[in-house]
C-alpha cells in the first residue's frame, strides 16, 4: 500500500524560480529518499535523509525531515528546464529493515524556459 | 554503487501471452526487488527476490501471475503471465545498499 502522499501533484514554474515539494508518510522510518524520474524512464536517486537528520543539502537540492509530523520537503533552488521531471519520495519500513521502499504518489514538475 | 541492466527495455505483447524480464546487477547482492509502475502512477512493490529461497510477494501480487527466479546473487527474472491490457506498465528491478536503493532502467510493457 502507498505510504506517502505528496503535494502538490503537479507544479509549473519559470526557470530560475524555486520549487518545493512535500511528502507525508504514515509509519516510523529509518530514512527517507527522494528520486527523480524523467518521462517514465528509470529512477535517479537524489538524496537520502536519515531519521535522526533534520536537513540535508546536495547542490541545488535541500531536503528537510520532520519525524514528529511524519513529513519531508524537497526544495530545488534556481530551477532549470532540465529539472522537468516527476519527483518521488520513498520510505523504508522502519524497524523491520527489509529493504522494501514505499513510494509517495509523486509530484510532476514542469520548469518553463 | 551498483549498475543494473534490464532486458528487454520495452515490448508490445498480445493478451494471453507471457513475458520474462531479466535483471542483471554488476555486483553480488542479497536482495533484489521488483516494482510495477502503472501509467501515470507511482511505484508499487511486487515482490522481494532472495537468492536461495522463494520470492516474497506483496499483498495483491501472486506467484502464479508473477513468477520470479533468482538463480544467483547477480541475476533475477520476473515473468508476467497470461497478460491482459491491465498489465501494461513499467517494471523495474532494484537492489538495496546502505545509502540508497539503485534502480534499473525499467521495462516498458504494452499489452494489446
Amino acid at each position: 500500500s502507498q505510504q506517502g502522499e505528496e503535494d502538490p501533484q503537479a507544479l509549473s514554474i519559470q526557470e530560475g524560480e524555486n520549487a518545493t515539494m512535500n511528502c507525508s508518510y504514515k509509519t516510523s522510518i529509518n530514512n527517507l529518499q527522494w528520486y527523480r524520474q524523467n518521462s517514465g524512464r528509470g529512477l535517479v536517486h537524489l538524496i537520502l535523509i536519515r531519521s535522526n537528520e533534520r536537513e540535508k543539502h546536495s547542490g541545488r537540492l535541500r531536503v528537510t525531515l520532520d519525524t514528529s509530523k511524519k513529513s519531508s520537503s524537497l526544495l530545488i533552488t534556481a530551477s532549470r528546464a532540465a529539472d522537468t521531471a516527476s519527483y518521488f519520495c520513498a520510505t523504508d519500513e522502519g524497524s523491520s529493515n527489509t529493504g522494501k521502499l514505499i513510494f509517495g504518489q509523486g509530484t510532476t514538475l514542469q520548469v518553463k524556459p | 554503487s551498483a549498475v543494473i541492466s534490464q532486458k528487454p527495455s520495452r515490448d508490445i505483447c498480445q493478451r494471453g501471452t507471457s513475458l520474462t524480464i531479466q535483471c542483471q546487477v554488476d555486483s553480488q547482492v542479497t536482495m533484489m526487488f521488483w516494482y510495477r509502475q502503472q501509467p501515470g502512477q507511482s511505484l508499487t512493490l511486487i515482490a522481494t527476490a532472495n537468492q536461495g529461497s522463494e520470492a516474497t510477494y506483496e499483498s495483491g501480487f501472486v506467484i502464479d501471475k508473477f513468477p520470479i527466479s533468482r538463480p544467483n546473487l547477480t541475476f533475477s527474472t520476473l515473468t508476467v503471465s497470461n497478460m491482459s491490457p491491465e498489465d501494461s506498465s513499467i517494471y523495474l528491478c532494484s537492489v538495496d545498499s546502505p545509502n540508497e536503493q539503485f534502480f534499473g532502467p525499467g521495462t516498458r510493457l504494452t499489452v494489446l
Side-chain angles (χ1 to χ4, degrees), chain B residues 8-93:
Chain B
S9 59
R10 58 177 61 227
D11 207 342
I12 300 173
C13 301
Q14 297 296 320
R15 66 173 67 205
T17 63
S18 298
L19 176 71
T20 296
I21 302 168
Q22 300 178 6
C23 179
Q24 179 76 52
V25 188
D26 68 343
S27 58
Q28 293 185 340
V29 293
T30 303
M31 292 189 289
M32 296 177 74
F33 305 91
W34 287 98
Y35 289 83
R36 180 178 74 181
Q37 186 178 27
Q38 294 177 301
Q41 303 296 313
S42 185
L43 281 77
T44 301
L45 181 64
I46 298 172
T48 303
N50 301 311
Q51 196 271 337
S53 63
E54 287 193 1
T56 305
Y57 289 83
E58 299 299 305
S59 175
F61 298 95
V62 295
I63 187 172
D64 289 347
K65 176 68 176 177
F66 297 101
I68 287 172
S69 79
R70 184 78 198 277
N72 57 54
L73 291 174
T74 65
F75 186 79
S76 178
T77 67
L78 169 76
T79 298
V80 186
S81 303
N82 188 24
M83 289 183 284
S84 66
E86 292 71 34
D87 294 319
S88 297
S89 298
I90 299 173
Y91 293 86
L92 301 100
C93 66

Side-chain angles (χ1 to χ4, degrees), chain A residues 25 29-32 48-56 65 67:
Chain A
Y25 57 93
I29 62 172
N30 292 317
N31 57 62
L32 183 146
L48 178 149
I49 186 166
R50 303 191 187 281
S51 60
N52 62 353
E53 297 176 311
R54 292 295 168 259
E55 188 171 310
K56 204 162 183 180
L65 179 64
T67 53

Side-chain angles (χ1 to χ4, degrees), chain A residues 33-52:
Chain A
Q33 304 181 57
W34 284 91
Y35 288 87
R36 184 183 74 222
Q37 186 180 41
N38 292 83
S39 300
R41 303 182 69 178
L43 291 175
V44 174
H45 185 264
L46 296 177
I47 198 164
L48 178 149
I49 186 166
R50 303 191 187 281
S51 60
N52 62 353

Side-chain angles (χ1 to χ4, degrees), chain A residues 9-74:
Chain A
Q9 288 189 337
L11 180 61
S12 181
I13 59 175
Q14 293 295 133
E15 207 166 25
E17 294 180 340
N18 296 340
T20 299
M21 291 159 262
N22 303 295
C23 166
S24 62
Y25 57 93
K26 297 177 183 176
T27 62
S28 63
I29 62 172
N30 292 317
N31 57 62
L32 183 146
Q33 304 181 57
W34 284 91
Y35 288 87
R36 184 183 74 222
Q37 186 180 41
N38 292 83
S39 300
R41 303 182 69 178
L43 291 175
V44 174
H45 185 264
L46 296 177
I47 198 164
L48 178 149
I49 186 166
R50 303 191 187 281
S51 60
N52 62 353
E53 297 176 311
R54 292 295 168 259
E55 188 171 310
K56 204 162 183 180
H57 298 255
S58 176
R60 293 184 295 113
L61 305 180
R62 172 179 169 252
V63 168
T64 63
L65 179 64
D66 186 335
T67 53
S68 67
K69 296 181 179 178
K70 292 185 169 60
S71 67
S72 174
S73 68
L74 171 67

